[in-house]
Amino acid sequence: SDPYLSITREQPWGQRGEWPCRWITLPEATEAPFVAAYRRRFELPRAAELRLHVTADERYELFLDGERIGRGSERGDSRNWFYETYALELAAGAHTLVARVWTLGIQAPTAQITLLHGFLCSAEGEFVNLVGTGIADWEAMRLGGYGFLSSGMAWGTGARLDMDGATYPWGVEAGQGEGWAPAKTLLPGVNGDLKSHYHANRTHLLKPATLPAMFEAPVPPGKIRHVEDFAVPRECVEAANHLACEAAGWQALLKGAPLTLPAHTTRRVIVDLDDYYCVYPQLVTSGGRGAVVSLKWAEALFEKGGKVSGGGQSDAARKAARDAVEGKRLLGVGSQ
């Protein structure tokens, strides 16, 4: 149920259902697509539990002292905008909350609704003034390093990501870096059941999330099926081009061992995950200024010939068996 029901039920009609905390946004107008970060540094005089209610438009990742503690918000619409609740057991001393908020606008996935970009963190009890957005001194920053490409063949899943490691603000998840500025305050959060629907088109009507947090666990790395020199791109995977002498090194990489590529080296590597996964890929790199890594994903490789298209055209490319590699094409979607 609404966490502030006892203090909002008797408010005047115009303010009925309003939360004590408000939405915040970047200090400057910014056109989607973009990614922003919000930061609150605070001191706890004693160990305590902070109970936070968090949401964002469109999506957020929440970090405490540099560690991700949640994602959201659960998808809804402006009349049913969901928030997640976090109960945080914190020691006395300094802490940092950071939210990374994604706003893609018309390049968002088809199922993603948006009203306007913003972030909301509302605490209960004595900690409202300490960490509540619109009350406490939250800071904001638009994040560099993010570019967005057409979704291509996966038209319903949103833009593909183009990351530039040279301009990304490393350490932002822990609240580090320069360029932070005071966040701009917007409308208060509102109880979606009490607030008059007269306001529905102007603010998010908040409801408790109905789903449990998404399950997250490391995915087994799978196995290397093919490695080849890709300085001159080839359409199909062919066993004759497989660099068997390098396969063991790439297989070890999937299990955490380092792999060094000489300068001006180009490789295409096919990884078979052995199963169907929805994943957030993690890649750790060092050195290699100016290098590009492209990650592409496919349910299966495609037969040679035809083009990728919808609507059942007769010349459309056909998917091969899911474990077939030899003589097939990788027409995947992904990021770089």
Side-chain angles (χ1 to χ4, degrees):
S1 62
D2 185 275
Y4 306 107
L5 198 59
S6 62
I7 64 174
T8 60
R9 191 189 302 274
E10 304 303 325
Q11 290 173 321
W13 181 84
Q15 289 80 46
R16 192 179 184 206
E18 291 185 0
W19 285 16
C21 298
R22 306 174 75 91
W23 288 82
I24 57 174
T25 189
L26 292 171
E28 72 284 349
T30 305
E31 184 176 351
F34 64 92
V35 182
Y38 296 91
R39 176 179 76 177
R40 172 58 179 158
R41 292 171 166 171
F42 61 96
E43 292 268 350
L44 274 180
R46 66 184 190 284
E49 179 185 275
L50 269 67
R51 190 170 177 84
L52 307 180
H53 310 286
V54 179
T55 189
D57 187 339
E58 303 160 0
R59 298 276 298 164
Y60 73 84
E61 299 165 272
L62 187 65
F63 300 86
L64 173 65
D65 299 332
E67 297 294 326
R68 183 188 291 108
I69 60 173
R71 305 178 193 265
S73 58
E74 180 185 324
R75 281 178 176 154
D77 55 44
S78 64
R79 291 175 179 256
N80 299 274
W81 198 272
F82 297 108
Y83 60 88
E84 285 73 38
T85 298
Y86 302 90
L88 309 178
E89 296 285 349
L90 300 184
H95 297 281
T96 302
L97 279 170
V98 172
R100 181 162 53 194
V101 179
W102 298 67
T103 295
L104 302 187
I106 61 173
Q107 288 188 269
T110 303
Q112 181 66 60
I113 303 298
T114 181
L115 184 60
L116 56 91
H117 169 83
F119 172 68
L120 175 68
C121 175
S122 197
E124 289 188 25
E126 61 182 302
F127 300 110
V128 170
N129 293 334
L130 186 66
V131 297
T133 50
I135 301 176
D137 293 328
W138 280 80
E139 298 169 289
M141 175 171 60
R142 178 172 178 170
L143 300 184
Y146 288 94
F148 298 95
L149 308 173
S150 167
S151 58
M153 60 188 290
W155 55 268
T157 62
R160 292 176 293 136
L161 181 62
D162 184 12
M163 289 292 299
D164 181 358
T167 58
Y168 180 79
W170 298 102
V172 68
E173 297 87 351
Q176 302 171 11
E178 304 296 328
W180 297 94
K184 179 181 178 180
T185 300
L186 300 174
L187 294 171
V190 296
N191 180 319
D193 292 319
L194 285 180
K195 190 67 173 177
S196 167
H197 279 214
Y198 168 78
H199 300 276
N201 294 325
R202 296 190 292 165
T203 192
H204 307 79
L205 298 182
L206 299 176
K207 306 286 182 68
T210 60
L211 299 176
M214 292 287 285
F215 174 76
E216 292 190 21
V219 171
K223 58 179 178 287
I224 299 296
R225 297 290 301 277
H226 183 80
V227 182
E228 68 175 292
D229 185 338
F230 210 56
V232 178
R234 302 178 181 89
E235 180 182 36
C236 295
V237 176
E238 297 178 4
N241 298 319
H242 177 52
L243 300 175
C245 60
E246 295 187 12
W250 286 96
Q251 188 67 53
L253 174 69
L254 296 183
K255 297 183 178 180
L259 176 71
T260 301
L261 291 181
H264 310 296
T265 298
T266 304
R267 291 291 183 265
R268 175 167 71 171
V269 182
I270 307 295
V271 181
D272 188 342
L273 293 180
D274 289 323
D275 206 340
Y276 193 102
Y277 295 103
C278 296
V279 302
Y280 290 102
Q282 295 185 353
L283 179 67
V284 179
T285 65
S286 63
R289 181 183 296 273
V292 176
V293 178
S294 178
L295 296 175
K296 293 186 178 181
W297 308 84
E299 294 176 323
L301 274 65
F302 285 77
E303 300 287 358
K304 185 176 181 179
K307 62 183 180 180
V308 177
S309 59
Q313 291 93 328
S314 59
D315 63 343
R318 294 187 298 109
K319 287 183 179 180
R322 289 181 183 250
D323 61 350
V325 171
E326 175 65 19
K328 312 306 179 187
R329 293 188 295 164
L330 176 60
L331 302 174
V333 296
S335 306
Q336 63 185 26

